[in-house]
Each structure stands twice: as C-alpha cells, then as structure tokens.
Amino acid sequence: MAKAHALPHTPWARPLAGLLARLRRRGKRAPSPIASLGPGWAVVRGRARAGSNARRAPISGRLGLGWRVLVERECGVRGWEPVVDLCEFVNFELQDPSGSICVRACDCPIVIEVAERRGRGGPFAPPPFVVAQLIARAAREPSAVQGVLFHKGFRWREWVLEAGSEILVRGRVISEPGDESTGYRALTEVLVLAGGTTRPLELTE
C-alpha cells in the first residue's frame, strides 16, 4: 500500500519544477492518442480511472486517486518557505477513445495542478486543526510549532485527483514487464507513463 511521503526538502526544487512545467505547457504540444504511444516523452489527454483503493486527502477529506498538500510559512524578504510537502498516489489507468495506459504515480515525483483548494492564516487566524497537526508532525516537536502557527503568516494548498476526471498528463512512456506470460515465453512487455529522474510526472486540467 502506498503511503504519504514527504517530498525532498530542497528550497529551489519545487519552484523550479513548477516553472519548468509552465514553460513546457506554453509550448502547446498537442496530446497524442494513447494507441500511438511509444517509448519517450509524451503528452496525453484522457480520463483517470481507478486502479486500486482510493486515497483520502488530509485537509478536505476528499477521496481520489491521489493528493498533494503544501503548507508554507511567511519568511519576510525570503517570501514563503515550505513547512509541509506531502504527496500520496496510487497507480491508475488513463483512457482516451483510442485505448488506455497505466500511469505509474505511486512512486514517481509529481507536479499536480488539479482541483486545488487553498487557505491562509496568521497570528490572529489559527489554521484548521488538521493543518496544525500536519505542521506538528513535520516539526516532530510540538514546542517548535508554536512559532510557525502563531507568530508567522502561513498558507496551505491541497490538490486532489478524483476518479473520472479528465486531465492532461505529461510523462515518459517506458516499457515494463507485464503480469502475464505466454507459455514458456518471458513476461510480455507493457507501456506505462511515469516520471523521469530529471522531470516529474505532470498532471494538469
């Protein structure tokens, strides 16, 4: 079972990934039919279909194929600093009129811009209890959380991919062994969509 995992805490990594994702989208590369895909980077539009158990987003409680939560605190001239950055996904099927392909989302770096909800707080506007819990868990020491909650401004965002949503996926098509073999032959090869070592899997509307 996939578990929520903290994304690497590199101050420039997430803003840079988001910037690169936006620049690539401006290229307006047309989506390819799933049936025509081959190994390499691709853009595909289709509907996300459940492949296994749903995941419940921690702030809103929405059910979906995956979610990401980002909580940031205000740091003066430095802008906003991530305090919590969690992501949990299951693998799912992406379907279009030409066919379907598995999206390997459970263990890939992901940039998601789907069904966003957000909120803000500050010294006189405490966060929802669940947001405070997420910060406390990330800080590991409740005494260290007080400065985050009551002496700084903060904001949080939550993205959820719901089953049946039509999305645009940018990722790398790779070949993996399938689940079935034919006689004495080796396992058949299947194509899946995944993220790469230098580029995350991108899910947008």
Side-chain angles (χ1 to χ4, degrees):
M1 177 181 294
K3 294 183 179 180
H5 57 277
L7 298 174
H9 183 64
T10 307
W12 49 265
R14 280 293 157 185
L16 180 59
L19 174 61
L20 292 176
R22 288 190 292 273
L23 290 175
R24 282 195 291 273
R25 285 196 293 276
R26 289 175 186 174
K28 296 183 179 179
R29 179 177 176 181
S32 301
I34 290 175
S36 70
L37 295 178
W41 292 97
V43 179
V44 185
R45 179 174 290 280
R47 290 197 178 276
R49 302 297 185 187
S52 57
N53 295 331
R55 296 291 182 262
R56 187 177 296 277
I59 297 178
S60 66
R62 291 177 289 171
L63 285 174
L65 304 174
W67 53 265
R68 181 189 171 205
V69 165
L70 176 64
V71 182
E72 300 169 296
R73 65 178 172 184
E74 195 171 10
C75 295
V77 295
R78 291 185 297 168
W80 296 88
E81 177 185 51
V83 176
V84 176
D85 197 345
L86 296 174
C87 185
E88 181 180 4
F89 272 84
V90 296
N91 296 336
F92 61 90
E93 292 288 325
L94 189 71
Q95 295 181 341
D96 73 2
S98 73
S100 65
I101 189 170
C102 175
V103 180
R104 198 180 69 191
C106 71
D107 57 358
C108 286
I110 290 178
V111 171
I112 176 172
E113 296 181 8
V114 174
E116 178 183 342
R117 292 187 184 179
R118 60 175 63 194
R120 296 176 69 102
F124 304 104
F129 179 69
V130 65
V131 175
Q133 280 188 316
L134 289 172
I135 297 173
R137 198 173 302 149
R140 296 185 180 178
E141 294 184 7
S143 60
V145 179
Q146 299 301 318
V148 175
L149 297 184
F150 302 110
H151 300 292
K152 299 283 186 179
F154 55 88
R155 64 186 182 186
W156 63 91
R157 287 177 284 173
E158 180 188 77
W159 299 266
V160 176
L161 175 60
E162 298 177 335
S165 298
E166 183 175 347
I167 58 172
L168 196 68
V169 179
R170 292 173 174 83
R172 185 182 180 188
V173 180
I174 60 176
S175 180
E176 290 187 341
D179 295 329
E180 298 180 356
S181 60
T182 55
Y184 294 100
R185 296 181 183 178
L187 292 174
T188 56
E189 295 288 314
V190 296
L191 296 179
V192 301
L193 262 173
T197 55
T198 58
R199 286 168 58 177
L201 190 66
E202 299 174 22
L203 312 178
T204 60
E205 293 177 324

